[in-house]
Structure formats: C-alpha cells, structure tokens
Amino acid sequence: MVVLLCGGGAGAWLLGAFQGDTLDQAAVQDGVLKILREDFGEGDVKNAQCPEDQPVRTGTTFECTVTVAGQPKKVTVRVLNDQAQYEVGMPR
C-alpha cells in the first residue's frame, strides 16, 4: 500500500523540501515521519534517515530507514514530479 503525499508534498515544497534540483534531506525525513504517523497510524515512529542529494526528478526512488516500535524498518520514497511531491511506501 502506498500513500500519496500530494497536499503534504506541496506543503513540504513551500517549506523548502528541495534546494535547486535536489531534495532537502531534513525536510524529506520530517515528511516521512509525518506520513507514517498521520497516514499509516504509526504512533511510535522516529529516527528517519534518508540519503542526501536525491534528485527532484519524476520516478526517482530511494529508501529511508526508520524506527517503528523500536524496530528498524525501511520505506521506499518515490518522487512524483519536479515540484518535490513524493509518496512514501508502507514500512517493511
């Protein structure tokens, strides 16, 4: 299951989710945690770690690690467009 961060992606962009042609790592990490809490209902989620310098290019995918209920998990992030909107996959 994948949850789109359409409105949130636009909000993240307005707050600086990308710098030039790359995503802002800290903004994406915060966005991942927010989506997992609000859209997936993960109450105990923290420590999102995403790679640096990910391009703002449609179709770009990368993995972030998070801690869910004390367990390390991975989520896939996929860039939806050149306005830094992205979707976050379910933790696995």
Side-chain angles (χ1 to χ4, degrees), residues 18-50:
F18 67 97
Q19 302 171 341
D21 58 354
T22 60
L23 292 167
D24 179 281
Q25 180 186 25
V28 171
Q29 290 171 167
D30 290 344
V32 165
L33 292 175
K34 180 177 180 177
I35 289 176
L36 293 177
R37 287 181 185 124
E38 294 179 6
D39 296 331
F40 287 105
E42 297 289 354
D44 185 12
V45 62
K46 56 188 169 191
N47 300 328
Q49 297 293 315
C50 300

Side-chain angles (χ1 to χ4, degrees), residues 37-76:
R37 287 181 185 124
E38 294 179 6
D39 296 331
F40 287 105
E42 297 289 354
D44 185 12
V45 62
K46 56 188 169 191
N47 300 328
Q49 297 293 315
C50 300
E52 293 182 65
D53 299 323
Q54 294 302 304
V56 179
R57 188 174 327 127
T58 302
T60 296
T61 60
F62 55 92
E63 287 192 340
C64 299
T65 58
V66 295
T67 303
V68 178
Q71 299 297 313
K73 302 279 183 175
K74 292 185 184 246
V75 296
T76 299

